[in-house]
């Protein structure tokens, strides 16, 4: 909800985990936990329910998926020409990793480990408090 509120009036729209995404460059089909598409949604050539070219992808890491999400999946996501930011939120402890691509096309990492930290979505131009992200989470 926080992301949706921050995007009001902007040309970007967030989607939940029921939004299927395809990466034509490497043929991956996946359902990110949250994806943000800017300037409209472009559908895959395969079907109307699959989209391509997100600007931001957010994954909630679970014990069974965290290694895949941090490594192989991120390598596959890097093939998306429109991707500006990849954020991974740990579900077992307060820990957020945020990658954003800079002007030199290099991925830069920022880590957040304190509930008092504020996550900066560089490409979207706003911040979200980790206390809001983890508000309903009980460890």
């Amino acid at each position: 909800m926080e992301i949706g509120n921050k995007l009001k009036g902007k040309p970007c729209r967030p989607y939940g985990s029921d939004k299927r995404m395809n990466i034509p460059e490497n043929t991956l089909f996946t359902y990110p936990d949250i994806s943000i598409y800017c300037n409209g949604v472009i559908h895959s050539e395969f079907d109307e329910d699959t989209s391509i070219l997100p600007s931001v992808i957010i994954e909630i890491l679970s014990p069974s998926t965290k290694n895949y999400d941090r490594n192989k999946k991120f390598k596959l996501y890097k093939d998306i020409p429109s991707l500006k930011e990849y954020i991974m939120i740990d579900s077992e402890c307060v820990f957020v990793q945020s990658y954003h691509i800079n002007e030199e096309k290099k991925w830069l990492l920022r880590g957040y480990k304190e509930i008092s930290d504020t996550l900066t979505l560089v490409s979207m131009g706003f911040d979200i408090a980790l206390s809001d992200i983890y508000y309903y989470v009980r460890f």
Side-chain angles (χ1 to χ4, degrees):
M1 284 183 14
E2 290 292 321
I3 290 173
N5 289 337
K6 303 261 186 189
L7 290 174
K8 280 185 182 173
K10 295 186 178 188
C12 300
R13 182 173 172 197
Y15 292 88
S17 60
D18 58 342
K19 182 67 156 164
R20 186 163 88 155
M21 181 189 74
N22 172 239
I23 305 171
E25 292 79 4
N26 59 35
T27 70
L28 176 70
F29 284 84
T30 188
Y31 291 85
D33 291 313
I34 300 171
S35 52
I36 300 173
Y37 290 81
C38 298
N39 300 312
V41 172
I42 299 170
H43 297 288
S44 165
E45 65 184 54
F46 297 102
D47 63 63
E48 291 279 320
D49 296 325
T50 304
S51 300
I52 60 172
L53 301 174
S55 298
V56 177
I57 295 173
I58 301 170
E59 295 286 8
I60 310 301
L61 304 179
S62 68
S64 63
T65 66
K66 70 171 59 176
N67 288 333
Y68 175 65
D69 288 343
R70 285 187 175 137
N71 298 298
K72 184 169 179 160
K73 200 174 206 183
F74 185 33
K75 285 180 185 176
L76 294 168
Y77 283 167
K78 286 179 181 179
D79 288 340
I80 302 170
S82 61
L83 190 65
K84 295 177 175 33
E85 212 151 359
Y86 179 49
I87 299 166
M88 294 169 282
I89 300 171
D90 201 300
S91 65
E92 296 183 299
C93 65
V94 175
F95 184 51
V96 176
Q97 292 175 293
S98 174
Y99 286 91
H100 72 277
I101 196 162
N102 67 10
E103 298 80 29
E104 291 86 35
K105 304 292 181 198
K106 301 234 189 270
W107 287 95
L108 303 177
L109 171 64
R110 289 186 182 173
Y112 305 86
K113 297 180 181 180
E114 303 294 330
I115 197 71
S116 59
D117 287 343
T118 301
L119 168 65
T120 299
L121 278 83
V122 175
S123 65
M124 297 289 108
F126 61 79
D127 299 331
I128 297 178
L130 265 62
S131 59
D132 288 335
I133 292 172
Y134 286 99
Y135 186 76
Y136 291 107
V137 178
R138 301 292 173 244
F139 299 110

